[in-house]
Amino acid sequence: MILTVTMNPSVDIMYQLDELVLDDVNRVQTIKKTAGGKGLNVSRVAHQQGEAVTATGLVGGELGEFVKHQLTEQGIQHHFSMINGKTRNCIAIIHEGNQTEILESGPSISEEEVEAFITEFETLLPDSDVVTISGSLPTGVSSAFYTRLIAKATQHHIPVLLDTSGTALAQALSREPKPTMIKPNLSELASLLQTDEQQIADNLAEYLQQPLFKGVDIIVVSLGADGAFVKWHDSFYRVTIPKIDVVSPVGSGDATLAGLAVGLSREEQPEVILKRAMAAGMLNAQQQATGMIEASKMTQMMSEVKVHQ
Ligand code: ATP
């Protein structure tokens, strides 16, 4: 089973308008509400590939109930810890070819709620082959928190895929035990290494050998339409992908993480895992919905990905 962790999920609302009029009333007919948050995107895409998934994290209030209800409807198992605060809304307004977003920061979490979650997380580990941790930490949770989860999973010899950014990523890399895998994009790497993006892009193999990454077995640097550059233990891979018609690449990084988790859980070879991960990212980019793929196209898409060691 793949266990996905989403500490700050949301209910994502999409409003589609012909025109956004400021300082006036905007009436909207095309509305979509989805259980959101990076880890839930990972859950959906792993589930669509036929893998057993359990989603965990923190939810509260009516929107927390909405998140659980939607996952149940989609056939995805979940085991969330309940909090007193309320799960947030994130609003995206699509208008005149633009996307204007209004993101609530989410509830504040108490120390007792953090400890209750850790206890819940531990009960889920014996049934898990792979753990994915995605996204930012909610207010009230220490930036060292992900290391606690990694330590628990490591005690059970379960690989952990960590997809976060900013302080949470920097903290996880500065402590032991390290995550098994990280999946930064170039801008996340640039802010982590406090170096210019282009400079990193031109010298990726060199940068990925910095002491900061010691102990991280696999680093997948996703490069959008350019595929990925990967450090897998002591080997390096350049992964190239075909040109595709893109509808919405939002969530493609999460779909990629799902592909990596599915491949690791099935103990596939690195080349196959990387093809699966890229194919999942591309299939997500071909859909309007975030964190959704057309799984029947997976094999064909994987055959078009090239992996060079
Ligand atoms: P996000 O934060 O939106 O989830 P990300 O920055 O973490 O994305 P990307 O590098 O943009 O991740 O995308 C992950 C993978 O998805 C890419 O490696 C690629 O396989 C696929 N992908 C993303 N964008 C495109 C695109 N425009 N064309 C083709 N494939 C894409």
Side-chain angles (χ1 to χ4, degrees):
M1 180 186 82
I2 297 172
L3 181 62
T4 66
V5 178
T6 316
M7 294 304 285
N8 201 5
S10 55
V11 173
D12 293 346
I13 302 181
M14 192 273 287
Y15 291 141
Q16 198 157 357
L17 295 171
D18 291 335
E19 187 190 1
L20 177 66
V21 187
L22 294 180
D23 202 23
D24 206 345
V25 172
N26 291 270
R27 295 190 193 280
V28 59
Q29 293 206 320
T30 311
I31 304 162
K32 213 163 161 233
K33 296 186 182 177
T34 0
K38 291 169 70 62
L40 298 188
N41 297 337
V42 175
S43 309
R44 276 193 293 268
V45 176
H47 173 74
Q48 286 182 306
Q49 288 173 77
E51 215 54 33
V53 176
T54 295
T56 188
L58 304 176
V59 291
E62 279 174 22
L63 297 186
E65 292 303 319
F66 178 95
V67 166
K68 292 198 291 182
H69 179 71
Q70 201 174 70
L71 287 171
T72 302
E73 273 191 335
Q74 290 166 339
I76 299 173
Q77 287 184 61
H78 51 81
H79 226 286
F80 283 89
S81 214
M82 299 306 292
I83 52 169
N84 281 325
K86 292 181 187 338
T87 294
R88 63 192 171 139
N89 267 137
C90 289
I91 301 172
I93 306 167
I94 315 285
H95 58 101
E96 302 132 308
N98 301 307
Q99 180 159 332
T100 301
E101 299 195 11
I102 299 168
L103 309 181
E104 295 179 18
S105 57
S108 185
I109 311 302
S110 71
E111 246 172 68
E112 295 73 43
E113 288 169 337
V114 170
E115 295 312 315
F117 173 74
I118 299 257
T119 305
E120 183 120 21
F121 179 73
E122 279 189 285
T123 66
L124 296 168
L125 285 175
D127 294 325
S128 309
D129 309 312
V130 174
V131 170
T132 69
I133 302 177
S134 307
S136 58
L137 284 166
T139 315
V141 180
S142 142
S143 56
F145 172 77
Y146 283 152
T147 300
R148 291 186 66 189
L149 301 188
I150 295 166
K152 300 281 181 204
T154 305
Q155 279 166 11
H156 288 255
H157 309 288
I158 303 169
V160 178
L161 283 58
L162 176 67
D163 184 14
T164 186
S165 55
T167 319
L169 177 60
Q171 289 286 333
L173 293 177
S174 69
R175 290 180 154 77
E176 296 287 342
K178 301 274 177 96
T180 315
M181 181 191 282
I182 56 172
K183 192 223 65 64
N185 59 25
L186 271 182
S187 96
E188 286 159 356
L189 264 189
S191 87
L192 181 71
L193 299 169
Q194 298 188 340
T195 310
D196 172 65
E197 239 180 76
Q198 192 57 51
Q199 169 75 14
I200 294 175
D202 293 343
N203 303 281
L204 266 169
E206 204 180 298
Y207 277 103
L208 298 188
Q209 292 178 84
Q210 291 208 353
L212 179 68
F213 299 115
K214 199 163 182 293
V216 181
D217 294 341
I218 305 161
I219 307 173
V220 177
V221 182
S222 65
L223 303 168
D226 289 330
F229 185 85
V230 180
K231 180 172 183 288
W232 195 290
H233 293 272
D234 294 327
S235 301
F236 290 91
Y237 295 92
R238 179 73 178 94
V239 191
T240 53
I241 58 176
K243 192 161 173 37
I244 55 163
D245 291 329
V246 171
V247 180
S248 166
V250 180
S252 283
D254 304 329
T256 297
L257 200 78
L260 293 166
V262 169
L264 278 184
S265 157
R266 293 182 187 169
E267 298 183 356
E268 293 173 338
Q269 291 301 306
E271 284 85 350
V272 180
I273 297 177
L274 295 175
K275 286 182 180 181
R276 179 180 295 288
M278 290 296 99
M282 287 188 284
L283 290 171
N284 176 78
Q286 290 190 317
Q287 302 256 333
Q288 181 61 55
T290 302
M292 287 281 185
I293 62 166
E294 207 175 313
S296 60
K297 292 188 175 162
M298 193 59 151
T299 309
Q300 169 61 32
M301 203 54 120
M302 283 172 73
S303 73
E304 294 179 43
V305 178
K306 302 278 173 272
V307 181
H308 306 280
Q309 191 169 350

